[in-house]
Amino acid sequence: SKPGPIFLCVGVESTVYVHNPHLDGMKKDNLYHFNLGTSTHDLPAMFGDVKFVCVGGSPSRMKSFIEYIAGELGLENAKSEYPNICAGSDRFAMYKIGPVLSVSHGMGIPSIAIMLHELIKLLHHAHCTDVTIIRIGTSGGLGLEPGTVVVTKQPVDATFLPWFKQIILGKTVVRSTDLDEGLAEELLQYSNELGQFNTVIGNTMCTLDFYEGQARLDGAFCSYTEKDKQEYLTKAYESGVRNIEMESSVFAAMCKLSGLKAAVVCVTLLDRQKGDQLNSEILQTYEQRPQILVSHLIKKRLQASGYYKS
Amino acid sequence: SKPGPIFLCVGVESTVYVHNPHLDGMKKDNLYHFNLGTSTHDLPAMFGDVKFVCVGGSPSRMKSFIEYIAGELGLENAKSEYPNICAGSDRFAMYKIGPVLSVSHGMGIPSIAIMLHELIKLLHHAHCTDVTIIRIGTSGGLGLEPGTVVVTKQPVDATFLPWFKQIILGKTVVRSTDLDEGLAEELLQYSNELGQFNTVIGNTMCTLDFYEGQARLDGAFCSYTEKDKQEYLTKAYESGVRNIEMESSVFAAMCKLSGLKAAVVCVTLLDRQKGDQLNSEILQTYEQRPQILVSHLIKKRLQASGYYKS
C-alpha cells in the first residue's frame, strides 16, 4: 500500500522561502543547470513530497546514496534503477526515492551556490514544506583519527571567523553561517546509537582553494614552509576547527536565508597535521560513513512520522 | 607513418614550471582528483607529447571537443572512441588525441583551481614543453549580439580590477591576471579568416556567484532592483568588460605563474543587459564556436610545425 502523507512537525508547516520579488513577475522559470523548468516540468508533482535533501560533491556518490537509502527504507524499485532527473545537463546529477532527494553539487563555493539557488527555487515552485537538508561530504581533519565523522557546529572562513562574505553589485555582503543546532545534536546521538565509527561536533573551515588555501605542501605552487603550515593548522585547531572543506559556509548561509533546517556531515579522509596527500583506496570505506549516519536519521524521522515501519 | 616531433618555437624550449620546493622531496605524487599518479602511471609516456591543453566546465563538452578536433586533424581512431583518462574519478574528465589534451574543470574558481594545480604538476612530471592552454567556455555577454565569441584581454574581478585575490595561510595574496596578448590577437585573426561568427577582444569579469554575484534578478535571493542591476552592468561595460564568467581570473593567474601561454575564449549565450535566463536549445549551436576557433588555431600551428599536412 502507498504510504500516507508525512507530518513531521506539530503545528504550522514550514515552507521554503525564496527572497526575490522579481520571481513573481516571471511567466516561467528555467532552472538551467538542472535542465528543469516550470514550463517544461510539473515540479509539484515531481517534487512536492520531498522532506529530505542530501547533497554532496560527487555525482556517483549521490547515486550510491540513493541506492543505499532506498534499500534502508525498503523502497527499492523493481529494477533497482534510479534515473538521473537532471539528464540532459552534466552540471549536476539528481536522484529521488520517496521523500528523499539526492543532488550533486561539484566542488567549491561557486558550484554549490549555483545548485542551491536552483534547488531552493525548485522546492519553492514544488510547494515543499518541512524540508531538512544535509550535506554529506569528505574533508581533511585536524587532530582526529582519519575516518572520524565531523558534524559541523559552525562553518568558519580561512581566518576562522563564522561568516560568509559574498560580493553583490561589487559590494561585500556578510551572511551568517548558523546551522540547525538541534539537528547536529540529533546526528551525534544517532552516531552513538549506531556505534560504528567516531563522530564529533566541531567547527568546519571552508576555503576557496584545496592546495594553497588549505596550507597543503603538495600543490603546483607553495611559498611557505612545513613550519608555517603547522602553525596555521594549530591556530585553526585552537579556534575550534576540526575539519576543512570547500562548501559549508555558503551552504549554511543560503539554507538559513531560505528557512531550510541544515546540517553538514563530513568524514575526515586524513589528519592534515600529519600529511596532505589523499589515497583513493581508503576513501571508499570512509565516504560511506556520512551516508550511513544520515540514512539512520532519515529512517528514525520517518518511523516517528508513521511513514515508515521498521 | 607516425608524425615526428613538433618544434613550435625557435630556440630554447619553454618548460612548465611548478613553484614548490617540497615536490622534489616527495617519493610519489598522487594527482588525486584525476585518479592519476607518478607511482601508478607513466606520465611522460602518457602525456610527454602534449602541446595544447583545452579546458572547459562541462565533461560532455570536453568529450565533444576531442571528437571534433580528432576529425579536424584527421587523427580519428578506428572505433572513434576516446576513453576518459580520469575514469575512476568523477571529479574531472580528460581526453587526449595526439598533441591535444581536453580536460573538464567544473564550475567556479575553486573547482578549476584544483584541476589546474594537478594539471600543472602532470605537465611538469611528464616533462612537457611549449604548452599552450586555452579555456573554451560559455558566458553572459555585455552589449554584444548573443553568439558572439569573446577572447579575453584581461580577467577582472567584480569591482572591475585586473587581479586575482587568493587567501594563503589566512592572508590575502594578490596575483596578476595577465594572459598572452599575442595568442589573443592570433585567435582574433583566425576568427576573421573563418568568417563564421563575430569575435571580439575584451575584458572578462570573473565572479564567485552566478546569480547575485552577476546581478541576476532570477536567483532564489535578490535584494536589488532592475535599475541597480543595469547601473552595475553599465559600469562593467564602461570599464571594458564584454562578458562575465566564473573561472578566468584564477586560470590566468595560475597559467602565468607556471609559464603556460594561455587564452580564454568564451561564447556569449545572452546579452545580460536584456535578460538573465538561459535557454538550453540556443546553447548547443553557440557552444561549438569556441571549439571551432580553437581547433582552427591548433590546426594552423600544427601545419606550421610540419606535424600536420592539410
Side-chain angles (χ1 to χ4, degrees):
Chain A
S1 67
K2 208 180 161 191
I6 316 172
F7 299 102
L8 295 175
C9 290
V10 179
V12 181
E13 288 190 328
S14 156
T15 47
V16 179
Y17 294 105
V18 295
H19 294 277
N20 182 354
H22 304 286
L23 288 180
D24 293 335
M26 287 165 57
K27 281 180 195 159
K28 59 176 186 173
D29 187 13
N30 191 15
L31 307 173
Y32 173 71
H33 299 87
F34 286 156
N35 201 29
L36 296 171
T38 55
S39 66
T40 47
H41 297 80
D42 184 347
L43 300 178
M46 290 173 74
F47 300 104
D49 63 341
V50 168
K51 297 294 172 190
F52 301 95
V53 182
C54 296
V55 304
S58 144
S60 63
R61 181 150 35 87
M62 298 323 290
K63 188 172 189 189
S64 302
F65 176 70
I66 212 75
E67 290 165 355
Y68 177 72
I69 193 144
E72 286 294 297
L73 300 179
L75 294 174
E76 301 104 322
N77 59 33
K79 291 185 183 170
S80 289
E81 280 174 13
Y82 303 95
N84 178 5
I85 300 169
C86 296
S89 165
D90 64 353
R91 302 298 192 167
F92 302 116
M94 184 187 286
Y95 306 93
K96 183 177 181 297
I97 185 81
V100 183
L101 193 67
S102 175
V103 195
S104 74
H105 57 57
M107 292 185 287
I109 286 173
S111 187
I112 194 175
I114 293 174
M115 192 282 284
L116 287 173
H117 269 286
E118 298 184 14
L119 176 69
I120 291 164
K121 292 198 293 175
L122 182 153
L123 298 172
H124 167 77
H125 292 313
H127 313 301
C128 295
T129 56
D130 301 322
V131 176
T132 295
I133 181 165
I134 303 180
R135 163 162 149 70
I136 48 175
T138 57
S139 63
L142 288 184
L144 298 173
E145 191 68 30
T148 303
V149 171
V150 178
V151 176
T152 302
K153 185 176 179 188
Q154 184 147 42
V156 299
D157 71 6
T159 61
F160 325 131
L161 293 170
W163 58 29
F164 174 64
K165 287 188 180 178
Q166 166 145 14
I167 300 173
I168 301 177
L169 304 181
K171 296 189 181 74
T172 301
V173 172
V174 176
R175 286 177 173 167
S176 155
T177 58
D178 289 344
L179 291 161
D180 192 281
E181 277 182 47
L183 183 56
E185 289 295 340
E186 196 180 341
L187 284 159
L188 184 67
Q189 188 192 313
Y190 286 141
S191 178
N192 293 335
E193 212 174 283
L194 280 169
Q196 295 181 22
F197 42 81
N198 287 328
T199 299
V200 300
I201 290 186
N203 286 349
T204 297
M205 183 161 79
C206 181
T207 68
L208 283 162
D209 180 56
F210 183 82
Y211 286 96
E212 295 170 283
Q214 296 187 7
R216 274 190 162 78
L217 301 172
D218 64 341
F221 316 120
C222 182
S223 54
Y224 43 86
T225 64
E226 164 87 34
K227 186 165 167 279
D228 297 332
K229 168 194 161 177
Q230 294 298 347
E231 282 175 6
Y232 179 66
L233 294 184
T234 300
K235 272 191 220 161
Y237 185 87
E238 287 168 356
S239 80
V241 171
R242 290 297 173 271
N243 66 337
I244 310 173
E245 45 79 272
M246 299 178 68
E247 293 87 14
S248 60
S249 63
V250 73
F251 173 82
M254 291 181 71
C255 293
K256 188 180 161 74
L257 278 174
S258 62
L260 288 165
K261 294 198 175 197
V264 177
V265 180
C266 291
V267 70
T268 59
L269 299 179
L270 78 171
D271 183 344
R272 286 298 320 292
Q273 293 174 298
K274 294 181 182 161
D276 296 322
Q277 291 239 314
L278 292 174
N279 178 328
S280 304
E281 289 143 45
I282 291 173
L283 169 67
Q284 293 185 351
T285 55
Y286 289 170
E287 75 174 13
Q288 291 165 5
R289 294 181 175 180
Q291 300 191 18
I292 292 168
L293 178 53
V294 169
S295 294
H296 190 69
L297 173 121
I298 293 174
K299 212 161 140 178
K300 287 282 184 178
R301 290 270 192 102
L302 291 176
Q303 281 171 344
S305 73
Y307 179 95
Y308 168 86
K309 287 168 192 71
S310 62
Chain B
S1 67
K2 207 181 162 193
I6 315 170
F7 300 100
L8 296 174
C9 290
V10 179
V12 181
E13 289 189 329
S14 155
T15 46
V16 179
Y17 294 105
V18 295
H19 295 276
N20 183 354
H22 304 286
L23 288 181
D24 293 335
M26 286 165 58
K27 281 180 194 159
K28 59 177 186 174
D29 187 13
N30 191 15
L31 307 173
Y32 174 71
H33 299 87
F34 286 155
N35 201 28
L36 296 172
T38 55
S39 67
T40 47
H41 297 80
D42 184 347
L43 299 178
M46 290 173 75
F47 300 104
D49 63 342
V50 168
K51 297 294 172 190
F52 301 95
V53 182
C54 296
V55 304
S58 145
S60 63
R61 181 151 35 86
M62 298 323 291
K63 188 174 188 187
S64 302
F65 176 71
I66 213 76
E67 290 164 355
Y68 177 72
I69 193 142
E72 285 295 297
L73 300 180
L75 294 174
E76 301 104 323
N77 59 34
K79 292 185 183 169
S80 289
E81 279 173 12
Y82 303 95
N84 177 6
I85 300 169
C86 296
S89 166
D90 64 353
R91 302 299 191 167
F92 302 116
M94 183 187 285
Y95 305 94
K96 183 177 180 298
I97 186 83
V100 183
L101 192 67
S102 176
V103 195
S104 74
H105 57 59
M107 292 185 287
I109 286 173
S111 187
I112 193 174
I114 293 174
M115 192 282 286
L116 288 173
H117 269 286
E118 298 184 14
L119 176 69
I120 291 164
K121 291 198 293 176
L122 183 153
L123 297 173
H124 167 76
H125 293 312
H127 314 301
C128 295
T129 56
D130 301 321
V131 175
T132 295
I133 181 165
I134 304 180
R135 163 162 148 71
I136 49 175
T138 57
S139 63
L142 288 184
L144 298 172
E145 192 68 28
T148 304
V149 171
V150 179
V151 177
T152 302
K153 186 176 178 189
Q154 184 147 42
V156 299
D157 72 6
T159 61
F160 325 131
L161 292 170
W163 58 29
F164 173 64
K165 288 188 180 178
Q166 168 147 12
I167 300 175
I168 301 177
L169 305 182
K171 296 191 181 73
T172 301
V173 172
V174 176
R175 286 176 173 169
S176 155
T177 58
D178 289 344
L179 290 161
D180 192 280
E181 277 182 48
L183 183 57
E185 289 295 340
E186 195 180 342
L187 285 158
L188 184 67
Q189 187 192 314
Y190 286 141
S191 178
N192 293 336
E193 211 174 285
L194 281 168
Q196 295 182 23
F197 43 80
N198 287 327
T199 298
V200 300
I201 289 184
N203 286 350
T204 297
M205 183 161 79
C206 181
T207 69
L208 283 162
D209 180 56
F210 183 81
Y211 287 96
E212 295 170 283
Q214 297 187 5
R216 275 190 162 80
L217 301 172
D218 65 340
F221 317 121
C222 181
S223 55
Y224 42 86
T225 64
E226 164 87 34
K227 188 165 165 278
D228 297 331
K229 168 194 160 175
Q230 293 299 345
E231 283 175 6
Y232 179 65
L233 294 183
T234 299
K235 271 190 222 164
Y237 184 88
E238 287 169 357
S239 80
V241 171
R242 290 298 172 268
N243 66 338
I244 310 174
E245 46 78 272
M246 299 177 69
E247 293 87 13
S248 59
S249 62
V250 73
F251 172 82
M254 291 181 71
C255 292
K256 187 179 161 74
L257 278 175
S258 62
L260 289 164
K261 295 200 174 197
V264 177
V265 180
C266 291
V267 69
T268 60
L269 299 178
L270 77 171
D271 183 344
R272 287 297 320 292
Q273 293 173 301
K274 292 180 183 162
D276 296 321
Q277 291 239 314
L278 291 175
N279 178 329
S280 303
E281 289 143 44
I282 290 173
L283 168 68
Q284 294 184 351
T285 56
Y286 289 169
E287 74 173 15
Q288 291 164 4
R289 293 179 175 181
Q291 300 191 17
I292 294 168
L293 178 53
V294 169
S295 294
H296 190 69
L297 173 121
I298 292 174
K299 212 163 141 178
K300 287 281 185 180
R301 290 271 192 102
L302 291 177
Q303 280 171 346
S305 74
Y307 180 94
Y308 168 86
K309 287 172 191 65
S310 62

